[in-house]
Amino acid sequence: MSANNAVLTRDRRTARSPRGWLGRALAIVVALAFVVFFVLPLIWLLLAPTKTPLQLLTDNPFSFGGLGALVDNWQSLSAFQNGIVWTWLGNAAFYSGAALVLTLVVSIPVGYALALTDFRLRRVLLVTTLVVMLIPNTALVLPIFLELSAVRLIGNPLSVILPFSFFPFGVYLTYIYFSTSVSRDLLDAARIDGAGEFRVFWRVAMPLATPVIALVGFFNFVGNWNNYFLPFVMVPGRKSPIQVGLAELLSNVPLFNPTSASTVNIEVPTLALATIISVAPVLIIFLFSQRFLVSGMTAGGTKG
Amino acid sequence: MEAPAVGQLNGRRQEPRTRRKNPNRAQARMGYTFSAGYGILLILFGLLPTLYAIFLAFTHEGAFAGLDNFVRVFNDYRFWPAVQHVAVYLVIWLTFQTIFVVLLALIVHAFGARWLSVSTRFVYYIPGALAGASSVMLWLFILDPSVSPVSGILRALGLDSFVETVSIENLPVIFTIIAFWTGAGGWIVIMYGALNNISQEVMEAARVDGAGTVKTAWHIQLPLMRKWISYMGIMTLAAGTQLFVEPRILSQASKGVVPGDYSLNQLAYLYAFKQNDFNGSAAISLILLVVALGLAAFFVFRGGLFERE
């Protein structure tokens, strides 16, 4: 980083004094230290599967092992319980994908209705949505489990897909978007032209909705793909999505669990590979949507 | 639900009714139609589970049991340690997260070069892709001195084995690091957005008055970010009380060095799955849910972040 001086150009005047200069140097050091903190583990993770277990212990942690080791790790991961990893991945894709479609079908209309139409329960629905949106989704997992086990739905894909599709935050985003980007006058104009309510929605609001569909879809998919607790209690075993499967793999790693009695032992580099595979779809989505991710328009988009 | 307007001949209103459908009626009907799907999900996965948890928490085998379930849970030797674990973790995480998210947002916002600001924010954000089990898994490797890329640091701290690293007194710090690593980037972006909304005139005026960067941050930027900082605080608190994935996976990895009943949610899970005690499980879940609900309701009605109408 030789661009020290060009980096902070906002206030040239304070920059000239030695104290100001020192402060800026300190700020840059802090920012850089955190860059290292956030990135280093990821880089290590990406390199780990290219090594044999022995190389992982002895080589430089940030060296590239070799393609041979990568192929070996890939094969031992695929061999684990006859390729159950791919089943888990398929499950995750199915649950998150089905929930994504259902979420959009449900959330976009209600967001529109909350923003642009008047009906008696509107305020109640809006306030309820806000409150539920602020509750961490883990808080409802066990109550939902108790409820669904009362109706014997545990183990059924619906027990994951339906809760995944209940997405108050998406409804709130849609509501904000429609109330700021579509005016009631525009809708009234369409009504005067004789369009029915549904036509107004379909011809006027929907063509404008692409950004919010992308936004809601993004948060819903990423959140569901990475969800551990809910599928962990609802769909154990072969029906697990990859995040839950990952923990299952972990109990077969001798390093962490010498007592494991599995026919196939999973070594650390293989587990690292599984970790990469488990987040690959989300990472790819992140890389493609980086422009809007860091713009700040996603304010409120992170929920613990 | 409102009855359809068609065919209602003796409504209360005295105006002569025209043949055409009343547009407001049509609108209301559409509002209900469009809300129906979401409304059903809200009832099924928002209200009903809550009500059912309340029912279970206050009954035993279907009969009203008063506070018995709660008394049993409170007397469980595992309950108060779990409360303490979660509380200590919350204090450490909240403090660390508030200080560093705000600080990093201020620094990144002060970057003059746009590309630098954008790429730094993105780098901070990336770990968010590894939520849930994946991030814990990654940190397992980082925390194990035998394979860790930062084994030097761990050994300097006197941690020579994985079991030593994950000893129970280190856990709050470890969970803080994991939570910060995955979640801070998103919050930094949000704070950055809040800083962008501060008008240039205000900043300029401060500079003309001779306030330096630090003074401006302290007296102008921070007060204007207060709403967002408290929002982050509330969300962090609510999420932190729910601690489950991290201790569960660490417990699996350390063969019980990290206990399986470290956090409250783990305890609620054990009640339901190991002891088949749904009433006790519901009681613990309900306590956690009431905390989260209280925080959320307080913020919606008092925080003013969501005032639009």
Side-chain angles (χ1 to χ4, degrees):
Chain A
M1 299 295 308
S2 59
N4 243 2
N5 260 336
V7 167
L8 298 154
T9 53
R10 284 260 166 96
D11 36 10
R12 291 255 166 79
R13 227 161 314 155
T14 46
R16 283 196 204 124
S17 69
R19 249 192 66 204
W21 194 88
L22 197 73
R24 289 166 64 213
L26 190 71
I28 288 173
V29 168
V30 171
L32 267 181
F34 275 97
V35 166
V36 171
F37 166 77
F38 282 116
V39 170
L40 211 67
L42 273 176
I43 293 176
W44 179 89
L45 180 70
L46 290 172
L47 290 169
T50 65
K51 294 170 188 167
T52 62
L54 183 67
Q55 282 176 316
L56 202 62
L57 294 173
T58 54
D59 286 11
N60 177 337
F62 297 104
S63 62
F64 181 83
L67 287 175
L70 180 61
V71 171
D72 287 347
N73 288 321
W74 182 276
Q75 278 165 348
S76 61
L77 182 63
S78 296
F80 180 75
Q81 293 187 19
N82 302 322
I84 194 169
V85 167
W86 311 120
T87 312
W88 287 333
L89 265 177
N91 292 340
F94 169 51
Y95 298 148
S96 308
L100 174 66
V101 174
L102 197 55
T103 301
L104 290 175
V105 167
V106 163
S107 308
I108 303 296
V110 72
Y112 168 87
L114 287 172
L116 298 163
T117 60
D118 290 309
F119 56 105
R120 206 175 299 165
L121 287 177
R122 182 175 157 273
R123 267 209 75 76
V124 177
L125 201 56
L126 197 56
V127 172
T128 316
T129 298
L130 270 182
V131 172
V132 180
M133 169 187 124
L134 293 178
I135 297 174
N137 52 14
T138 35
L140 282 164
V141 168
L142 283 173
I144 290 174
F145 167 82
L146 299 171
E147 174 195 41
L148 291 183
S149 68
V151 294
R152 306 247 179 279
L153 258 184
I154 302 301
N156 187 315
L158 282 178
S159 66
V160 181
I161 293 170
L162 290 177
F164 274 1
S165 311
F166 172 53
F167 194 46
F169 177 65
V171 173
Y172 176 73
L173 275 182
T174 317
Y175 155 74
I176 295 284
Y177 179 82
F178 278 136
S179 44
T180 48
S181 67
V182 181
S183 76
R184 289 184 177 228
D185 300 350
L186 191 67
L187 301 186
D188 283 334
R191 288 188 184 113
I192 286 165
D193 290 346
E197 289 299 332
F198 186 79
R199 250 182 89 96
V200 171
F201 165 73
W202 196 249
R203 305 303 290 273
V204 181
M206 274 317 271
L208 297 168
T210 319
V212 81
I213 290 176
L215 208 59
V216 173
F218 171 86
F219 284 120
N220 183 257
F221 184 85
V222 168
N224 289 340
W225 183 274
N226 281 333
N227 195 326
Y228 171 89
F229 194 8
L230 189 114
F232 170 71
V233 298
M234 301 292 179
V235 280
R238 282 199 73 81
K239 291 184 178 147
S240 300
I242 186 75
Q243 287 285 337
V244 179
L246 209 53
E248 179 66 31
L249 274 178
L250 178 67
S251 45
N252 291 289
V253 178
L255 176 78
F256 294 116
N257 213 338
T259 54
S260 73
S262 153
T263 44
V264 181
N265 265 338
I266 294 287
E267 298 291 351
V268 174
T270 312
L271 190 62
L273 180 65
T275 309
I276 294 175
I277 289 174
S278 75
V279 295
V282 177
L283 261 180
I284 291 165
I285 293 173
F286 263 49
L287 292 173
F288 274 106
S289 42
Q290 60 139 329
R291 289 240 335 273
F292 94 82
L293 282 181
V294 298
S295 63
M297 72 176 261
T298 56
T302 11
K303 288 191 57 191
Chain B
M1 282 292 178
E2 294 193 23
V6 190
Q8 263 201 341
L9 291 173
N10 45 5
R12 288 235 181 114
R13 291 150 63 186
Q14 298 301 308
E15 304 150 29
R17 286 183 100 22
T18 51
R19 279 273 182 82
R20 278 187 48 210
K21 272 191 284 182
N22 181 333
N24 288 341
R25 272 293 168 80
Q27 250 190 68
R29 210 170 41 236
M30 195 200 77
Y32 284 121
T33 312
F34 271 25
S35 309
Y38 171 71
I40 290 168
L41 286 176
L42 176 67
I43 289 166
L44 283 183
F45 300 107
L47 298 179
L48 267 184
T50 309
L51 293 174
Y52 189 55
I54 293 171
F55 167 78
L56 281 176
F58 289 102
T59 57
H60 188 71
E61 289 172 358
F64 182 70
L67 293 175
D68 288 0
N69 294 314
F70 291 92
V71 170
R72 188 172 68 257
V73 167
F74 290 156
N75 288 333
D76 189 322
Y77 70 97
R78 299 167 297 180
F79 181 80
W80 296 108
V83 171
Q84 198 191 333
H85 293 155
V86 172
V88 170
Y89 159 65
L90 273 181
V91 169
I92 295 177
W93 183 31
L94 199 61
T95 313
F96 189 84
Q97 170 133 316
T98 308
I99 291 172
F100 283 101
V101 163
V102 172
L103 182 70
L104 288 172
L106 285 168
I107 291 175
V108 173
H109 189 259
F111 282 168
R114 210 180 157 280
W115 63 269
L116 196 68
S117 163
V118 168
S119 47
T120 313
R121 265 176 290 147
F122 184 57
V123 163
Y124 290 171
Y125 197 104
I126 287 181
L130 282 80
S134 322
S135 63
V136 185
M137 204 64 82
L138 172 52
W139 280 93
L140 279 185
F141 303 133
I142 309 289
L143 294 171
D144 187 330
S146 64
V147 294
S148 170
V150 290
S151 51
I153 296 177
L154 293 173
R155 294 215 160 88
L157 293 168
L159 307 166
D160 293 318
S161 70
F162 178 66
V163 171
E164 277 175 39
T165 310
V166 296
S167 67
I168 203 148
E169 62 270 16
N170 293 343
L171 288 181
V173 174
I174 288 172
F175 294 152
T176 295
I177 291 173
I178 297 178
F180 185 85
W181 188 79
T182 46
W187 285 115
I188 290 169
V189 168
I190 290 173
M191 296 295 167
Y192 175 89
L195 283 168
N196 264 352
N197 287 338
I198 298 174
S199 74
Q200 282 299 316
E201 285 94 51
V202 175
M203 298 293 287
E204 195 58 43
R207 200 173 320 156
V208 170
D209 290 347
T213 320
V214 176
K215 268 210 170 114
T216 310
W218 188 255
H219 291 290
I220 296 187
Q221 290 171 306
L222 271 183
L224 288 171
M225 288 161 80
R226 195 184 310 145
K227 242 181 211 176
W228 289 102
I229 295 172
S230 60
Y231 175 52
M232 179 172 77
I234 297 263
M235 298 306 273
T236 302
L237 270 177
T241 49
Q242 304 293 327
L243 189 66
F244 180 82
V245 185
E246 296 87 344
R248 161 140 188 103
I249 293 185
L250 279 182
S251 162
Q252 219 170 347
S254 65
K255 300 172 295 297
V257 173
V258 176
D261 49 22
Y262 181 85
S263 77
L264 287 168
N265 243 336
Q266 281 178 289
L267 197 58
Y269 168 81
L270 289 178
Y271 265 80
F273 286 79
K274 294 280 179 291
Q275 296 162 228
N276 264 328
D277 180 354
F278 281 18
N279 304 98
S281 181
I284 301 176
S285 296
L286 197 62
I287 295 168
L288 289 172
L289 190 59
V290 165
V291 170
L293 258 174
L295 289 168
F298 172 82
F299 201 75
V300 169
F301 296 114
R302 302 289 309 279
L305 195 63
F306 301 109
E307 280 163 13
R308 295 187 52 81
E309 327 200 341

